[in-house]
Amino acid sequence: MNNQILKTFSSFDVAIDLGTYKTAIYVRGEGIVLEEPSLITYRNGNLSPHDIIAVGDEAQKIQGKEPMFVTTVKPLHGGVVEHLEATQVMVKHFAKKAGLLKRFRKPNILISNPVAISNIERRAVRDVASMIGSKSIGLIEEPIAAAIGCGIDIGESRACMIVDAGWGITEAAVISLGGIVHCESERVGGELIISSIIEYFKKHYSLVIGEKTAASITDVLSDADCKFELEMCVRGMDVGSRLPCLRKFKLEELKAVILSPLTSIIRTIRRTLENTPPMLSADLIENGIILTGGTALLKNFDKLIEDQTGVPVRVADDPYRCVVRGGGIALDYLGRFKSA
Ligand SMILES: Nc1ncnc2c1ncn2[C@@H]1O[C@H](COP(=O)(O)OP(=O)(O)OP(=O)(O)O)[C@@H](O)[C@H]1O
Ligand SMILES: [Mg+2]
């Protein structure tokens, strides 16, 4: 990596990818020490300690089965903090579980955030990190972290393009000489894919299915060996009788259903390509687009982008973890990133 760009002033101890879908924590010298769904379950709309029922993995087990007065929420939405207090409680719980407070008295935290967020939304990210009792907080833009995380030398003058497609937000960024040249964002990702599937079964099969069931279908669609001609069974509740029931469908049917959210993502990518200075376009054709984020795992999504943009696309290794891995690699390079 370019030493000038990645000059070390001092070190961060911890990198956090605070995602709409999952939160991941990386500790310098150790790697990823925690990765759990960004979820919290609490009672009576109250976030005091004795009303918190579950967080992360435990909240996911409860989600959709809650008794009255108990709710499970995703405290982030569209890539940003929506419910500040719930996010703070959730992150504090994760920090404790990951042993951060035992390892470091006051950890220096590098936290990733989308490029396209307002100052208020950025302030909320800092407020969340400050709950851990951090000494200093640095912010790193997610496409930069994703690029570092998939092994790109971001200091090079040859441009690269990262498309980070997560749960709540997709960002398509062109990076050159260690910075973002142009970035387009759209608050669309896995969440819209899941809600489109739920809507499809309601409309065409009179079947109400839950988020977990729809997610298990997208897992099948993400399997490299996925055979679209396969017939599958799905369980849910009949809209009319409200009784549990089972329906058969072909995976093939869902291709058109998920096409609409995927098209929104592709429009975002095209806008970035259209706004890339011509000097850098040649690099993009040569280097191709690198796809990161959990939504990159959808089978044939890379080919669809290639067809619609004419630019080669490669799915990063372990795309789901590129941002936190990149934050981890960047831990030693504080000077490169803004101190909050
Ligand atoms: N192994 C997997 N196979 C298929 N999809 C997966 C896999 N792991 C995660 N996903 C999907 O990835 C999506 C979440 O992506 P990701 O973790 O990148 O989001 P996030 O970073 O939390 O959200 P955002 O960046 O939008 O705030 C979900 O739709 C989830 O279903
Ligand atoms: Mg993300």
Side-chain angles (χ1 to χ4, degrees):
M1 290 244 175
N2 183 324
N3 284 337
Q4 279 308 106
I5 289 171
L6 299 177
K7 202 170 172 186
T8 308
F9 289 5
S10 69
S11 289
F12 280 107
D13 307 305
V14 174
I16 301 180
D17 173 12
L18 184 59
T20 318
Y21 184 79
K22 56 109 180 31
T23 299
I25 300 181
Y26 187 115
V27 171
R28 180 159 44 87
E30 291 184 43
I32 299 171
V33 294
L34 179 136
E35 185 179 81
E36 297 204 20
S38 301
L39 284 174
I40 180 163
T41 307
Y42 52 97
R43 206 177 355 240
N44 300 327
N46 199 335
L47 284 156
S48 60
H50 69 272
D51 283 315
I52 306 295
I53 294 172
V55 182
D57 286 332
E58 294 304 313
Q60 194 171 47
K61 287 182 197 156
I62 297 172
Q63 192 182 23
K65 301 175 186 169
E66 301 90 340
M68 277 201 289
F69 310 116
V70 172
T71 37
T72 299
V73 299
K74 286 192 179 73
L76 290 104
H77 185 72
V80 297
V81 176
E82 186 175 63
H83 190 326
L84 179 62
E85 198 189 347
T87 311
Q88 287 176 318
V89 173
M90 177 185 82
V91 169
K92 208 170 166 187
H93 172 94
F94 288 151
K96 195 170 168 200
K97 190 167 178 185
L100 297 190
L101 306 174
K102 281 193 192 139
R103 283 185 174 95
F104 311 99
R105 209 167 58 84
K106 282 177 174 272
N108 296 311
I109 294 177
L110 184 62
I111 188 159
S112 50
N113 59 275
V115 179
I117 60 172
S118 66
N119 286 339
I120 293 172
E121 290 165 340
R122 201 166 286 116
R123 178 79 246 166
V125 175
R126 289 181 188 136
D127 288 347
V128 169
S130 67
M131 274 304 279
I132 308 173
S134 40
K135 193 157 73 192
S136 68
I137 302 163
L139 303 180
I140 181 168
E141 289 148 330
E142 283 172 2
I144 294 276
I148 299 172
C150 54
I152 291 171
D153 182 348
I154 58 159
E156 272 198 11
S157 60
R158 260 163 41 117
C160 70
M161 181 161 170
I162 292 287
V163 174
D164 184 42
W167 172 260
I169 187 165
T170 294
E171 295 201 295
V174 173
I175 298 167
S176 172
L177 291 169
I180 290 175
V181 177
H182 189 82
C183 179
E184 292 282 338
S185 304
E186 190 75 37
R187 297 206 173 171
V188 55
E191 182 175 26
L192 190 59
I193 294 171
I194 297 283
S195 58
S196 304
I197 292 174
I198 293 173
E199 201 46 46
Y200 176 78
F201 281 103
K202 200 166 170 187
K203 191 166 170 201
H204 296 272
Y205 287 88
S206 301
L207 187 73
V208 180
I209 62 166
E211 196 178 299
K212 280 187 195 164
T213 306
S216 66
I217 295 171
T218 59
D219 285 348
V220 179
L221 292 171
S222 303
D223 189 328
D225 297 324
C226 167
K227 296 196 173 38
F228 287 106
E229 62 282 7
L230 266 185
E231 204 169 54
M232 273 186 71
C233 286
V234 60
R235 283 172 219 275
M237 182 183 81
D238 183 84
V239 171
S241 67
R242 301 191 69 78
L243 294 173
C245 63
L246 193 130
R247 302 266 197 275
K248 279 186 182 165
F249 71 101
K250 272 199 177 152
L251 279 174
E252 189 81 45
E253 298 169 44
L254 298 179
K255 273 187 180 174
V257 176
I258 63 172
L259 192 62
S260 166
L262 296 184
T263 303
S264 295
I265 293 178
I266 293 171
R267 270 201 299 271
T268 311
I269 299 172
R270 288 183 69 112
R271 282 204 306 276
T272 298
L273 289 170
E274 284 157 14
N275 285 289
T276 299
M279 286 282 283
L280 301 180
S281 297
D283 291 345
L284 299 188
I285 295 285
E286 202 176 306
N287 290 346
I289 294 169
I290 298 153
L291 206 48
T292 66
T295 301
L297 290 159
L298 272 181
K299 194 177 175 185
N300 292 338
F301 187 30
D302 48 346
K303 294 190 181 59
L304 187 67
I305 300 171
E306 260 178 33
D307 285 350
Q308 310 253 328
T309 62
V311 180
V313 179
R314 160 170 86 81
V315 178
D317 289 341
D318 198 9
Y320 189 60
R321 299 191 176 87
C322 284
V323 169
V324 70
R325 211 166 44 231
I329 295 169
L331 288 179
D332 292 325
Y333 305 113
L334 172 76
R336 167 68 187 75
F337 306 100
K338 285 175 274 175
S339 213

